[in-house]
Amino acid sequence: MSQPPARPEPVERAPANIPRHVAIIMDGNGRWAKQRGLPRIEGHRRGVETVRTTTFAARDLGVKVLTLYAFSVENWKRPQDEVGGLMTLLEFYLKKELKTFIRDRVRLLTIGRTEELPASVQELLRETIAATKDFHDYTLVLALNYGARTEVIDAAQAYAAAVADGREKLNDRSWETFSRYLYTAELPEPDLVIRTSGESRISNFLLLQAAYAEFVFSPVLWPDFTKDDLAAAIADYAKRERRYGLTSEQLKPPAGVSVSA
Ligand code: IPE
Ligand code: IPE
Ligand code: MG
């Protein structure tokens, strides 16, 4: 009997149907408010409610890591009162959620240059991260003062420092090594990236980590985004074949070989 064709090295993949890591570009708060004749900050306030419901909806649906893009490095350029309002909302949110995170065993992490956030926010982040560090079943990652380009600069700088003092080799040139210097070092790569509000762009979010992510662009404005919308995005994801550069045939087991879960 002839040997089955050689199969490529297995690529680490998430379970077929449920994305392990979902990352969301929460967009549309301003338009939601404008449609109602309300100030933009009211849209952000409602957006925080959606953050709460989505955190638990994602876990109910079997997601292990949820990353939410809450504030980009470019968002500092918005009007000062909006930036100030967003920082105040973030403070309120963190103060209120600490107990809930502990009760529901949610680990909080951040990605981004959090050292440039207001001191009061930094302090709350430190406290919440420390209080939830031993929870491992479900992780909420807030992208705060995050930009993929600044992330690459920070990673390159840390990598260069490691080379200079002999912890890394300059000629290593492997993604596995370099990616340990990204903010996301301890996280799996996102499987599914969702953007709300009908915009189809990535806006400097997880550019490297999303190299093989699936994308869903939802027309729903973030304050209106529900568990059903999240479930629909996950259902869409589940229908897709992630090929990681291989052919469809390579991903299927050779005839006669049964694959156990
Ligand atoms: C997303 O909503 C929240 C943040 C970027 C902080 P926007 O504020 O971008 O809402 P739109 O895009 O103006 O509707
Ligand atoms: C991306 O949304 C940033 C966050 C969701 C935090 P923006 O509304 O800032 O992005 P652009 O300006 O439309 O690309
Ligand atoms: Mg926007």
Side-chain angles (χ1 to χ4, degrees):
M1 208 175 99
S2 66
Q3 291 289 311
R7 306 201 67 208
E9 285 294 301
V11 181
E12 203 204 325
R13 281 193 285 268
N17 292 325
I18 303 295
R20 180 163 51 155
H21 181 176
V22 173
I24 307 184
I25 303 173
M26 309 183 287
D27 200 12
N29 295 350
R31 278 162 283 169
W32 184 93
K34 194 170 178 192
Q35 282 174 3
R36 289 161 179 77
L38 298 168
R40 291 179 60 85
I41 196 68
E42 203 47 50
H44 295 312
R45 204 166 283 134
R46 289 297 296 261
V48 173
E49 291 310 313
T50 311
V51 167
R52 291 201 172 95
T53 52
T54 306
T55 300
F56 297 103
R59 181 158 74 179
D60 282 353
L61 293 166
V63 171
K64 296 292 179 197
V65 180
L66 176 69
T67 296
L68 299 176
Y69 199 7
F71 193 83
S72 75
V73 293
E74 287 80 16
N75 289 150
W76 294 110
K77 294 183 218 136
R78 291 191 177 193
Q80 243 185 354
D81 63 335
E82 181 169 347
V83 172
L86 281 165
M87 292 302 146
T88 306
L89 270 181
L90 181 57
E91 243 186 275
F92 280 143
Y93 166 77
L94 290 168
K95 277 186 191 153
K96 199 166 163 196
E97 291 312 274
L98 178 58
K99 277 202 199 99
T100 320
F101 289 157
I102 293 171
R103 187 194 65 202
D104 296 326
R105 304 179 67 78
V106 177
R107 175 171 68 146
L108 182 78
L109 293 178
T110 60
I111 53 173
R113 287 186 181 169
T114 51
E115 68 276 14
E116 293 170 358
L117 294 169
S120 51
V121 171
Q122 288 186 50
E123 183 50 39
L124 283 163
L125 287 171
R126 265 194 296 273
E127 191 187 338
T128 313
I129 290 166
T132 62
K133 71 175 179 8
D134 295 326
F135 303 142
H136 294 294
D137 290 345
Y138 183 66
T139 303
L140 172 66
V141 185
L142 295 180
L144 292 168
N145 193 19
Y146 176 86
R149 289 175 177 173
T150 39
E151 180 178 32
V152 173
I153 292 166
D154 290 350
Q157 187 191 41
Y159 188 74
V163 169
D165 66 23
R167 284 176 288 129
E168 300 290 358
K169 293 189 198 70
L170 182 61
N171 60 3
D172 181 319
R173 301 210 303 173
S174 78
W175 171 248
E176 208 207 327
T177 304
F178 184 73
S179 63
R180 288 202 293 267
Y181 291 84
L182 297 171
Y183 305 144
T184 50
E186 52 179 307
L187 297 168
E189 292 190 345
D191 302 296
L192 170 62
V193 176
I194 300 169
R195 183 170 187 145
T196 59
S197 88
E199 307 295 354
S200 314
R201 56 177 171 264
I202 195 161
S203 301
N204 204 9
F205 187 49
L206 299 176
L207 294 181
L208 293 171
Q209 296 87 339
Y212 275 101
E214 296 294 326
F215 284 77
V216 168
F217 296 101
S218 164
V220 177
L221 301 175
W222 177 248
D224 291 330
F225 193 76
T226 63
K227 184 176 182 180
D228 285 348
D229 295 317
L230 180 63
I234 291 176
D236 190 340
Y237 167 90
K239 285 189 285 199
R240 302 184 190 180
E241 180 181 63
R242 299 179 73 187
R243 289 195 283 276
Y244 301 91
L246 310 183
T247 67
S248 191
E249 289 67 31
Q250 284 175 298
L251 294 166
K252 297 194 175 74
V257 175
S258 70
V259 182
S260 54

